[in-house]
Amino acid sequence: MDASSLPAALELVSGGGAGLSPEKRAVLGSSLLLLQRDYRFERVWFWGCIQGVCGAYYIAQGLGPDRAAPRSRLYSLNCVEWSLLPPVTEEMVTQAGRLKGRFQGDPSFEYEYTERNAEDAERLFEDGKEPMIKEEARLVATIEQIDRAVGIVPRGAFVKTPLGSVSENRNFEGLSLTEAKRLSSYFHFTEPVDLKNKTLLEKADLDPSTDFLDSLEHDIPQGSWTVQLEKGGTVVVLRSLLWLGLTFYHVPMTKQYGYVYFGNGEKNLDLPFML
Amino acid sequence: ERGHGPYQPHEPGYGLYQPGYTPYDDQIPDPKSQMLAIQNAKAYLLKCSTTSGLNLYDHLANMLTKILDEQPTNAVDIIENISKDVKWAQFQKKMDTLRNEHEILPTFEAAEKRKALFLKANGEGDEELEEEIGETPLPNVMETAFYFEQAGIGLSKDESYHIFLALKKLISVQPIQTCRFWGKILGLEMNYIIAEVQYHEGEEEEETEEEAVTEEGGKGVGEVEDEEEEKEKEDEPPKSTYKPPPVIPKEENGTGANKYVYFVCNEPGKPWVKLPPVTPAQIVCARKIKKFFTGRLDAPVVSFPPFPGNEANYLRAQIARISAGTQISPIGFYQFAEEEDEEEEVDGGRDTYEENPDFQPLSVAEMVDSLSAWVHNVQSILKQGRCVWLNPLQKTEEEEENEEEEKAEEPDELPQELQQEIGPPLLTPLSEDEGIQNIPAWTAQPSTNLIPQYAVAVLQSNRWPGAYAFASGKKFDNIYFGWGHKYSPENHAPALPPPVQAEYPSGPEITETRDPTVEEELAFKAAREEALATAEEEEDEEGAEEDEEEDD
């Protein structure tokens, strides 16, 4: 969620019971602003909080002029001092995907591999030492996975300029109530995977400036999003069941929207059994 | 007529044919055909668009009129915007005779219900006001919410206040002695808000409906038995020798897992629904399945092993498990009531406690540092599904009488000796809780490191993510916000179906034997013929002897 709308947004997202203490809320207002100054971000998003066993990580993201470019990610243990996370690589993501269990809460903690397959064994012989992965790398890989899988925005909120860069749509007035209850009105805010598979007939109806992302309709498994109206029907809240803790809110017919993650940082692999 | 040249910049030949220099210009156009061409062009421009009802001719005319009227600077740069503006202006002039019906959004109804919470019931006089100010079972939800908010846990203040008022409504309707906001469980379509309640002693509505059902069921069984006796004379297929394991009876209301009664509602403002008491079978099954709640209490729970009940029962079972695992209090707050006759054997530990009037609260630092400063104040549930172990094979007097009446058709089976299950007794400290792999069962933190004088000690459960507890001075509380599932680092593996049962006991009369081969048969035949031949020879000899005797 955007740092400027943090207080109001936290009120709307608190239906799940998770939120921030008044101390953190107070300090975030200023520390995120300072982040924007120091790193020269155009926008700063408060991404959320990953609970570890001993402590919690608070994550912020900074965006440049092209909102679809890879984002800089920062973490903090107390919302006051922020540290930049290393940019994520595919290797990090695959390594982190193999780790199971909770985050520890200590960024320098090193995980040992418990599963060995043929590739790791070969690498062992080459390096001569066990492959370890640091919690920092796991953290950034998890954030990237979550963003890729369940980071969503409403349709029409972002436009793609003819030059290819993505920016916010100033004419976005918000989704109507009926539109807001449909999954097809929300897009994944990452590189689209499904677009090129659409038939020509479907593509003819799309508007290339706003429909350049994948919608939520075809997410696997079906039913991995819950759409609810909260606060007496004034806020539409989408919760992801694949990554438990990701909450997206939108007030229909207004420009307010955003998503935040409050959770363990673990994928819910039991989802097919639970539906 | 002139052919249609390339119009787009990317088409080949664009820009080559300037007006007056096209390849067709040497043909002097016939004035008549030129007029015709002009008319055709104008007709084309006047063609109405199928989607918007406008036509290009009028639109261009309006646009040029507007430009000439307003005379903007750099008109050529903003020509598209002007065109759009003219189009928008067009739409507004359209008068539709149909008027839109004022939309009644569902949000209005919801707002109506929420407003009803804030209205005072009619007919409340001053007397009732005095009653309310006295001791009331209504918990101070806002105070609890404040403490939890220091740790970053909790709903928004609006929602907390609505829940506060909804609880007040619940108390005014039901005869309740103690009431607590237990927490919120999220679901797919709707969420559940749960209140934990204890009735006044003796005022609990007895569930007479259930008793009636069992009586009728008993009569039904008797009739069936008579019919069976008649049928015995006819041939019947073999009866199954399967005996279902004995049903473990649920605990009495007010004890064990059913100590508290739970009310749920989907949103504050909607009516509260009472959840049925939980049975051990439901708890045992709930441990094996992992399903999301839909938000409708009557939804079926489709799972394997099949859950005995619908979503209301599954919800109640999960609430029982969560309470048993995560309801804690600071050590010393509760103590066992000192009874005079302590010689009584208390199977399964004591289950009642009372508040300790001499409670001295520990400092926040101490509460956070060591987990032994906290104790469980709800009995843990045994493997059987109850808090107090019951031997299901122990026959009560009634059951023995019934057995004598029934025919002794069943073969005598040795009842298997069941081991008595013992769980940790009430008020055990949290340091005894086993963690999962190498994660401790609880994470303790102070709410703030900056202002330790006013910090609140907060505990989060790692086994039931979403269960929190706080303590500050003499105040403490527990709450749950989550999806209602236990944490397991390993993936959920559903129970496998049981092995295929044996259809019949295998014995020599049913087992097939191999048919003899041709050689074996021939050999057998040859051996038999030999035996016959020797027998005949013997008979002939005997016959010959007899003949000889007769001759004499």
Side-chain angles (χ1 to χ4, degrees):
Chain A
M1 57 179 65
D2 209 58
S4 46
S5 55
L6 194 60
L10 282 175
E11 288 280 315
L12 297 171
V13 163
S14 60
L20 293 177
S21 64
E23 181 191 325
K24 300 272 181 328
R25 254 184 266 181
V27 76
L28 273 179
S30 8
S31 72
L32 288 180
L33 214 55
L34 290 175
L35 269 186
Q36 195 174 357
R37 174 200 72 178
D38 291 338
Y39 288 87
R40 305 204 207 287
F41 292 135
E42 281 203 12
R43 286 261 188 279
V44 178
W45 281 7
F46 177 66
W47 185 89
C49 164
I50 292 190
Q51 258 321 31
V53 175
C54 310
Y57 297 106
Y58 298 91
I59 317 285
Q61 287 182 343
L63 287 86
D66 181 6
R67 306 283 188 255
R71 298 168 225 167
S72 327
R73 295 179 169 115
L74 302 104
Y75 78 94
S76 161
L77 297 166
N78 53 7
C79 286
V80 186
E81 313 277 333
W82 296 86
S83 330
L84 190 61
L85 281 168
V88 66
T89 60
E90 282 304 319
E91 194 192 315
M92 268 197 227
V93 174
T94 40
Q95 276 184 354
R98 284 191 233 139
L99 291 172
K100 280 201 250 192
R102 300 274 307 265
F103 279 85
Q104 291 299 118
D106 171 21
S108 54
F109 182 80
E110 297 200 341
Y111 291 91
E112 288 181 4
Y113 269 143
T114 48
E115 295 172 30
R116 303 279 174 87
N117 47 19
E119 293 176 9
D120 285 349
E122 283 178 17
R123 245 184 281 160
L124 242 192
F125 291 130
E126 286 173 19
D127 287 350
K129 47 184 180 176
E130 286 180 13
M132 308 263 256
I133 177 166
K134 285 181 107 181
E135 177 139 309
E136 260 190 5
R138 184 183 177 198
L139 185 62
V140 74
T142 310
I143 300 171
E144 172 71 17
Q145 275 182 310
I146 294 179
D147 270 341
R148 249 188 241 171
V150 289
I152 58 179
V153 291
R155 178 173 181 270
F158 286 90
V159 280
K160 194 165 189 171
T161 61
L163 301 170
S165 69
V166 172
S167 63
E168 280 125 5
N169 181 3
R170 282 176 219 265
N171 283 339
F172 177 59
E173 297 263 328
L175 303 171
S176 71
L177 196 57
T178 39
E179 274 179 11
K181 286 196 248 184
R182 276 188 279 161
L183 279 182
S184 55
S185 340
Y186 301 99
F187 289 152
H188 289 282
F189 198 48
T190 58
E191 289 297 321
V193 175
D194 225 13
L195 262 189
K196 35 187 188 287
N197 296 341
K198 284 193 187 257
T199 65
L200 269 181
L201 269 182
E202 287 172 343
K203 276 201 242 187
D205 286 331
L206 299 178
D207 182 2
S209 61
T210 53
D211 293 311
F212 57 97
L213 301 163
D214 285 329
S215 90
L216 294 188
E217 260 183 319
H218 303 292
D219 269 5
I220 296 166
Q222 213 179 37
S224 62
W225 288 94
T226 69
V227 182
Q228 286 177 5
L229 289 173
E230 292 206 353
K231 283 186 166 278
T234 51
V235 182
V236 174
V237 174
L238 265 75
R239 291 203 178 90
S240 165
L241 301 176
L242 188 59
W243 291 92
L244 285 177
L246 184 104
T247 318
F248 170 86
Y249 76 93
H250 175 53
V251 184
M253 302 314 288
T254 67
K255 283 190 79 151
Q256 301 171 37
Y257 66 87
Y259 70 85
V260 73
Y261 181 84
F262 282 107
N264 284 346
E266 288 180 85
K267 196 168 183 177
N268 180 20
L269 291 167
D270 301 331
L271 181 58
F273 292 117
M274 295 166 78
L275 284 175
Chain B
E1 255 195 31
R2 198 184 307 171
H4 295 283
Y7 298 126
Q8 302 272 17
H10 63 268
E11 287 176 9
Y14 180 76
L16 291 180
Y17 302 124
Q18 300 297 325
Y21 292 88
T22 65
Y24 307 111
D25 268 353
D26 48 355
Q27 299 166 16
I28 298 169
D30 199 7
K32 241 198 212 165
S33 62
Q34 206 175 28
M35 288 302 293
L36 193 60
I38 292 175
Q39 278 177 359
N40 283 344
K42 190 167 175 187
Y44 169 69
L45 289 177
L46 279 168
K47 214 165 34 167
C48 282
S49 146
T50 43
T51 48
S52 53
L54 300 172
N55 63 43
L56 189 54
Y57 192 85
D58 286 337
H59 179 65
L60 283 172
N62 291 337
M63 221 167 61
L64 290 171
T65 319
K66 182 177 167 137
I67 291 178
L68 290 172
D69 284 340
E70 295 176 6
Q71 306 236 338
T73 54
N74 291 342
V76 66
D77 289 331
I78 54 171
I79 188 88
E80 289 88 1
N81 286 349
I82 295 176
S83 168
K84 249 200 225 167
D85 288 340
V86 170
K87 275 194 192 158
W88 284 350
Q90 279 284 65
F91 275 125
Q92 281 175 4
K93 289 199 187 129
K94 237 183 181 177
M95 295 296 279
D96 214 344
T97 46
L98 287 173
R99 273 191 295 175
N100 280 336
E101 197 182 288
H102 206 67
E103 227 183 305
I104 307 274
L105 295 169
T107 47
F108 297 151
E109 293 172 21
E112 196 67 40
K113 280 201 200 123
R114 289 161 90 92
K115 181 177 156 190
L117 279 177
F118 289 89
L119 296 171
K120 274 195 161 169
N122 292 332
E124 254 190 38
D126 287 332
E127 300 171 5
E128 294 204 22
L129 264 182
E130 285 179 14
E131 264 187 39
E132 282 184 23
I133 296 174
E135 280 215 17
T136 162
L138 184 65
N140 194 344
V141 172
M142 296 311 289
E143 193 183 3
T144 324
F146 166 76
Y147 283 111
F148 274 119
E149 194 193 350
Q150 300 302 307
I153 301 151
L155 309 168
S156 66
K157 292 226 178 56
D158 284 355
E159 200 165 347
S160 299
Y161 206 85
H162 281 106
I163 293 176
F164 201 5
L165 289 173
L167 283 178
K168 173 165 180 223
K169 219 174 176 185
L170 174 67
I171 286 173
S172 62
V173 173
Q174 303 266 352
I176 288 175
Q177 187 181 19
T178 61
C179 175
R180 198 173 77 84
F181 174 49
W182 185 89
K184 183 172 179 186
I185 287 191
L186 303 170
L188 296 181
E189 293 166 29
M190 292 184 281
N191 306 323
Y192 289 117
I193 296 177
I194 300 160
E196 182 184 79
V197 143
Q198 256 184 327
Y199 280 117
H200 284 306
E201 291 181 6
E203 284 215 25
E204 201 180 309
E205 298 164 12
E206 291 192 0
E207 308 209 6
T208 48
E209 288 182 18
E210 277 193 46
E211 293 178 16
V213 164
T214 47
E215 282 175 17
E216 288 173 350
K219 285 181 206 153
V221 164
E223 289 171 6
V224 167
E225 284 183 5
D226 290 337
E227 290 175 13
E228 281 182 5
E229 288 173 24
E230 293 173 5
K231 272 197 197 166
E232 265 184 47
K233 303 164 192 169
E234 308 170 359
D235 264 338
E236 280 187 5
K239 291 211 192 111
S240 147
T241 50
Y242 169 68
K243 271 202 202 358
V247 172
I248 302 175
K250 71 173 170 114
E251 293 176 289
E252 288 293 314
N253 295 348
T255 65
N258 285 323
K259 183 164 183 196
Y260 295 101
V261 179
Y262 292 93
F263 282 86
V264 298
C265 77
N266 285 124
E267 266 194 10
K270 294 210 178 144
W272 291 90
V273 178
K274 180 171 164 184
L275 286 181
V278 67
T279 66
Q282 287 167 357
I283 291 190
V284 166
C285 191
R287 284 181 173 142
K288 297 188 195 151
I289 64 176
K290 197 171 178 188
K291 284 284 207 183
F292 278 124
F293 294 99
T294 59
R296 290 168 288 126
L297 284 173
D298 51 358
V301 178
V302 181
S303 66
F304 184 77
F307 187 78
N310 56 13
E311 181 156 313
N313 304 101
Y314 183 43
L315 180 64
R316 179 66 179 82
Q318 289 294 93
I319 293 176
R321 289 173 70 200
I322 294 174
S323 293
T326 61
Q327 301 285 325
I328 58 180
S329 57
I331 193 166
F333 192 88
Y334 289 119
Q335 67 182 13
F336 287 121
E338 295 192 359
E339 298 172 1
E340 292 176 357
D341 44 355
E342 286 190 25
E343 298 167 359
E344 248 184 53
E345 256 190 34
V346 193
D347 278 333
R350 299 171 240 196
D351 60 349
T352 52
Y353 48 76
E354 59 174 25
E355 279 189 33
N356 180 356
D358 305 321
F359 171 56
Q360 294 299 325
L362 299 170
S363 75
V364 170
E366 288 173 9
M367 307 279 327
V368 167
D369 277 338
S370 97
L371 284 179
S372 51
W374 300 80
V375 296
H376 284 278
N377 57 5
V378 170
Q379 275 181 313
S380 64
I381 302 184
L382 305 168
K383 243 174 136 176
Q384 200 185 38
R386 294 170 51 106
C387 293
V388 174
W389 191 79
L390 180 76
N391 188 350
L393 298 173
Q394 221 175 40
K395 293 176 199 150
T396 61
E397 289 183 7
E398 284 184 21
E399 288 181 2
E400 286 183 1
E401 287 176 15
N402 283 346
E403 282 205 357
E404 289 171 9
E405 289 175 6
E406 288 179 7
K407 285 203 170 181
E409 298 173 7
E410 308 120 14
D412 287 334
E413 284 181 0
L414 287 172
Q416 294 167 358
E417 294 280 335
L418 287 178
Q419 291 260 321
Q420 180 179 19
E421 298 167 18
I422 307 174
L426 203 56
L427 300 188
T428 39
L430 258 57
S431 38
E432 315 261 332
D433 276 359
E434 37 176 70
I436 299 186
Q437 289 184 350
N438 48 0
I439 306 169
W442 295 86
T443 303
Q445 281 171 351
S447 62
T448 164
N449 288 322
L450 298 174
I451 309 178
Q453 305 95 310
Y454 295 107
V456 174
V458 177
L459 251 67
Q460 298 177 15
S461 170
N462 292 328
R463 283 201 298 173
W464 290 97
Y468 304 100
F470 84 88
S472 168
K474 285 206 173 182
K475 295 202 198 294
F476 80 95
D477 207 346
N478 301 281
I479 209 157
Y480 183 85
F481 291 113
W483 296 91
H485 298 114
K486 195 168 188 178
Y487 173 72
S488 84
E490 303 300 324
N491 297 342
H492 169 72
L496 294 172
V500 177
Q501 290 175 341
E503 283 180 284
Y504 49 83
S506 47
E509 59 262 11
I510 318 180
T511 8
E512 288 184 11
T513 50
R514 264 179 52 239
D515 278 344
T517 62
V518 178
E519 292 88 10
E520 285 178 19
E521 274 188 18
L522 288 176
F524 182 70
K525 203 172 166 192
R528 221 177 37 157
E529 283 173 3
E530 274 185 25
L532 267 180
T534 46
E536 281 177 9
E537 285 177 4
E538 290 177 5
E539 280 182 20
D540 287 342
E541 288 177 3
E542 286 175 21
E545 288 176 1
E546 286 174 6
D547 287 341
E548 291 178 354
E549 289 174 4
E550 286 174 7
D551 285 344
D552 282 340

